[in-house]
Amino acid sequence: MQRIDYPPLIQELIRQLRRMPGIGPRSAERIALWIVQKKEARPNEIADAISKTVSGIRSCVRCGFFSEADQCAICADQGRDSSSLCVVEQPTDILSLERTGAFRGLYHALGGRLSPLDHVGPEDLRIDALLRRVQEEGLHEVIFALSADVEGEATLSYLGDLLVREGVVITRLAQGLPAGSGLETADELTLARAFSGRTVFQR
Amino acid sequence: MQRIDYPPLIQELIRQLRRMPGIGPRSAERIALWIVQKKEARPNEIADAISKTVSGIRSCVRCGFFSEADQCAICADQGRDSSSLCVVEQPTDILSLERTGAFRGLYHALGGRLSPLDHVGPEDLRIDALLRRVQEEGLHEVIFALSADVEGEATLSYLGDLLVREGVVITRLAQGLPAGSGLETADELTLARAFSGRTVFQR
């Protein structure tokens, strides 16, 4: 008597679903059975959405954000402040900043940060394109919004040296206590940076 | 200045992924970004697997299990005991029983159980097909492996009345303590059924 399992098509579907981040074997099986069993599932729409996204989404040629056209919605927006450029590591960081509503300028996604251990050097990031934008777009300020860790600091240091002769104001995000958290949960380094970066109290 | 979000294709992908069971907004966004950003993701293979499963998987005409052909691998297997039929609610229950290795006969999936509150009556289940199999396939035993709850009991009672004149042995799964669990975690009903269903100790 043979060992019975799902038909090969379902087994392959489970294998494919398991490759998605955060999807374990139980979730993959559950989703696969939902696809097979539920009439209201319309799973072809999911397959379509995946295919269309794969073929339809590219990187904005200017800033690197996700886009369906050559230029993304941010770069194409005439209403934005084109004198400020915010440099981030990943295109997803752009959306995080947009959601704060704190910035109205343009962005530049490097595509990562310098990380010798992962064999990521300056040539792997969109640094030439950044330098060109700084030289050609008449910027007033370049704001670095990179991770507050060793690799983010190294990347900032490298890019800061590179841009300092270009005559733009170079700034970086403040480091300090996360909103809503108390001193007792802050590590020493965060507390030290929050202290040294203290600001004048204003009413 | 317009409110920036992901491009429409990615927003639609997130909406589609969220429809899958167990996938919340954060997971859907994470998977969508993995699809967009990772070169090694090969997301088209996932889309393919979904489409192929949707078009290639049907119900076995005989037992209702998942199949790529008219008959499933179990019904097509000549080595199985064709005198025993195990009646389950869902095709997925078949796989659960197969994995125990305790049964070598054939199956019949009803496609659900009687549930007046959900408007599921006898005509919504594969009961005519079951009756025909009992009459035509020369079965010796029909084993009911239905849920041990009110609706499962009602379904068993209905089908038992129906089959009792067909001259087959009708059995049902034992109810009792789950393997590995102690008396202190068993509810009263489980304990009462384990007690009344007690078996002779054998060494």
Side-chain angles (χ1 to χ4, degrees):
Chain A
M1 198 176 78
Q2 63 176 127
R3 175 93 177 71
I4 296 298
D5 204 333
Y6 292 112
L9 280 176
I10 298 182
Q11 292 182 45
E12 168 65 11
L13 177 58
I14 293 173
R15 256 195 305 275
Q16 289 292 345
L17 292 171
R18 275 193 64 177
R19 296 201 295 113
M20 304 195 298
I23 303 296
R26 291 294 305 156
S27 309
E29 187 171 341
R30 188 170 162 217
I31 295 171
L33 292 175
W34 171 82
I35 286 174
V36 171
Q37 292 193 287
K38 295 283 177 187
K39 290 188 189 68
E40 71 273 22
R42 306 185 312 281
N44 275 330
E45 293 180 21
I46 300 173
D48 275 2
I50 295 175
S51 308
K52 281 185 186 154
T53 301
V54 169
S55 61
I57 293 290
R58 44 190 150 163
S59 293
C60 171
V61 291
R62 197 168 167 205
C63 76
F65 188 52
F66 308 115
S67 179
E68 299 180 15
D70 279 348
Q71 284 216 0
C72 73
I74 299 172
C75 287
D77 183 349
Q78 298 294 328
R80 299 193 69 112
D81 170 13
S82 61
S83 71
S84 304
L85 186 71
C86 180
V87 179
V88 296
E89 294 174 9
Q90 299 294 349
T92 45
D93 299 331
I94 294 176
L95 208 61
S96 305
L97 283 163
E98 278 299 294
R99 283 173 178 163
T100 68
F103 180 64
R104 307 182 141 258
L106 301 175
Y107 293 94
H108 188 86
L110 294 170
R113 63 237 188 119
L114 295 178
S115 172
L117 289 177
D118 299 321
H119 307 289
V120 179
E123 66 286 356
D124 299 309
L125 304 178
R126 297 178 64 243
I127 292 177
D128 284 350
L130 171 63
L131 197 57
R132 224 171 315 133
R133 292 186 72 180
V134 173
Q135 288 164 346
E136 294 171 4
E137 292 187 11
L139 299 168
H140 173 253
E141 179 180 2
V142 175
I143 304 158
F144 283 97
L146 307 178
S147 307
D149 56 14
V150 175
E151 295 174 342
E153 292 293 326
T155 309
L156 171 58
S157 160
Y158 179 89
L159 293 174
D161 288 350
L162 205 67
L163 298 185
V164 78
R165 25 192 148 128
E166 301 296 335
V168 287
V169 178
I170 299 176
T171 57
R172 58 176 297 171
L173 294 194
Q175 295 188 25
L177 298 178
S181 84
L183 261 64
E184 70 282 5
T185 57
D187 61 289
E188 280 176 37
L189 192 57
T190 298
L191 208 50
R193 285 174 178 171
F195 192 83
S196 67
R198 64 194 180 277
T199 57
V200 177
F201 175 73
Q202 289 169 322
R203 24 180 105 248
Chain B
M1 199 175 79
Q2 63 177 125
R3 176 91 177 72
I4 296 299
D5 204 332
Y6 292 112
L9 280 176
I10 298 182
Q11 290 182 45
E12 169 65 12
L13 177 58
I14 293 173
R15 257 194 305 275
Q16 289 292 345
L17 293 171
R18 276 194 64 177
R19 295 201 295 113
M20 305 196 297
I23 303 296
R26 290 295 305 157
S27 308
E29 186 172 340
R30 187 169 161 217
I31 295 170
L33 292 175
W34 172 81
I35 286 173
V36 171
Q37 292 194 288
K38 294 284 178 187
K39 291 187 187 70
E40 70 273 21
R42 305 186 312 281
N44 274 330
E45 293 180 21
I46 300 173
D48 275 2
I50 294 173
S51 306
K52 281 184 185 156
T53 301
V54 170
S55 61
I57 293 291
R58 43 190 150 167
S59 293
C60 171
V61 291
R62 198 168 167 205
C63 76
F65 188 52
F66 307 115
S67 179
E68 299 180 14
D70 278 349
Q71 284 215 2
C72 73
I74 299 172
C75 289
D77 183 352
Q78 298 294 327
R80 300 195 67 114
D81 171 12
S82 61
S83 72
S84 304
L85 187 70
C86 180
V87 179
V88 296
E89 294 174 9
Q90 297 296 349
T92 45
D93 299 332
I94 295 177
L95 208 61
S96 304
L97 283 163
E98 277 298 294
R99 284 174 177 164
T100 69
F103 181 64
R104 305 181 143 260
L106 300 176
Y107 292 95
H108 189 85
L110 295 170
R113 64 241 189 112
L114 297 179
S115 173
L117 289 178
D118 298 322
H119 309 287
V120 180
E123 67 286 355
D124 299 311
L125 305 179
R126 296 178 65 243
I127 291 176
D128 286 349
L130 172 63
L131 198 57
R132 226 173 311 133
R133 291 186 71 179
V134 172
Q135 288 163 347
E136 294 172 4
E137 293 187 10
L139 298 168
H140 172 255
E141 180 180 3
V142 175
I143 304 158
F144 284 97
L146 307 178
S147 306
D149 56 14
V150 175
E151 295 175 341
E153 293 293 326
T155 309
L156 171 57
S157 160
Y158 179 90
L159 293 174
D161 288 351
L162 205 68
L163 297 184
V164 78
R165 31 196 144 125
E166 302 296 336
V168 288
V169 178
I170 298 177
T171 56
R172 58 175 299 172
L173 294 194
Q175 294 187 26
L177 298 178
S181 87
L183 262 64
E184 71 280 7
T185 57
D187 61 290
E188 279 175 38
L189 192 59
T190 298
L191 208 49
R193 285 174 178 171
F195 191 83
S196 68
R198 64 194 179 278
T199 57
V200 176
F201 175 72
Q202 291 169 320
R203 18 180 110 248

